Amino acid sequence: MTPLRARLRRYARLRRFARDESGATLVEFAVVVLFFLLLLFAIIDFGRLAHTWAAAQKATQVAARIAAVRPPVCAGVPALNSRGVAGSSISFGTLCRAGANVCANPGPAVCSGASANATSAEIFAQIRPLLPAGATVGNLRFTYSFDPNLGFLGGPYVPMVTVDLQGLEFVFVSNLGRMITPITGQQTTLGANLPLPRMSISVPGEDLALGTAG
């Protein structure tokens, strides 16, 4: 075989190899399936995230509603509205909103939930099924603050009761960051644990002394 004929045969084989598409389907499948899996797991995880967010908001509402009719979680919450000005001639029964300093402002009482406290323990037991894994009673924060538009002098102290749900994290079931790395060629934190924003509900207190049966 002459060198020319050998070169022509090699050239013909190269042309046949270049036109051969027998493995193209497998390559295309490998590329498409990666996008498909990324989309599938993203839909699942972000659907879970939306559900977790809505459930946590509902848990905050339930917690505030129960706290409004249960004994205070925090210490220092008075039982009655005392005079705002010592020695004042304002008669008992006067609405706190009738004027400035009719009722004393004891200042806000703020504390975190604790399992040893009956009220916060009851609240956490009620909302635990709505919270993500890892949530504890310590993720609840209670604030009892004076509102001059509520109550009357000498009557039961009626604070604004605020319940905050904070420090929660959403945990992805799939590591989307690793799945997207072969596509982008860069490391990403997509799919890492996601801190949920603080959720807060405020309602007026109703029966902080005797509310033991809802």
Side-chain angles (χ1 to χ4, degrees), residues 76-144:
V77 179
L80 302 174
N81 283 310
S82 58
R83 295 183 185 278
V85 179
S88 159
S89 60
I90 299 175
S91 61
F92 287 104
T94 303
L95 295 176
C96 293
R97 64 174 180 268
N101 299 318
V102 172
C103 299
N105 180 358
V110 184
C111 63
S112 296
S115 57
N117 179 272
T119 297
S120 60
E122 178 190 356
I123 290 172
F124 185 71
Q126 291 288 330
I127 67 173
R128 180 66 189 88
L130 297 172
L131 301 179
T136 68
V137 68
N139 293 118
L140 291 168
R141 185 175 178 85
F142 300 86
T143 303
Y144 298 84

Side-chain angles (χ1 to χ4, degrees), residues 1 34 43 45 50 64 105 120 124 132 135 145 151 162-163 169 183 195 199:
M1 181 182 296
L34 188 60
I43 290 173
D45 264 337
N105 180 358
S120 60
F124 185 71
S145 54
T162 301
V163 177
E169 281 193 343
I183 301 174
M199 300 178 187

Side-chain angles (χ1 to χ4, degrees), residues 122-204:
E122 178 190 356
I123 290 172
F124 185 71
Q126 291 288 330
I127 67 173
R128 180 66 189 88
L130 297 172
L131 301 179
T136 68
V137 68
N139 293 118
L140 291 168
R141 185 175 178 85
F142 300 86
T143 303
Y144 298 84
S145 54
F146 174 72
D147 187 332
N149 293 314
L150 301 174
F152 57 93
L153 182 60
Y157 178 64
V158 185
M160 284 299 296
V161 182
T162 301
V163 177
D164 296 319
L165 189 59
Q166 56 190 13
L168 297 179
E169 281 193 343
F170 173 77
V171 180
F172 285 85
V173 296
S174 55
N175 195 321
L176 300 178
R178 289 187 179 180
M179 294 178 64
I180 203 173
T181 298
I183 301 174
T184 62
Q186 297 179 346
Q187 292 287 339
T188 174
T189 58
L190 183 63
N193 290 1
L194 180 67
L196 294 178
R198 180 177 67 89
M199 300 178 187
S200 180
I201 298 290
S202 296
V203 294

Side-chain angles (χ1 to χ4, degrees), residues 50-62 127 130-132 165 168 196-197 199:
H51 174 268
T52 300
W53 191 310
Q57 288 182 321
K58 181 61 178 179
T60 309
Q61 294 172 4
V62 172
I127 67 173
L130 297 172
L131 301 179
L165 189 59
L168 297 179
L196 294 178
M199 300 178 187

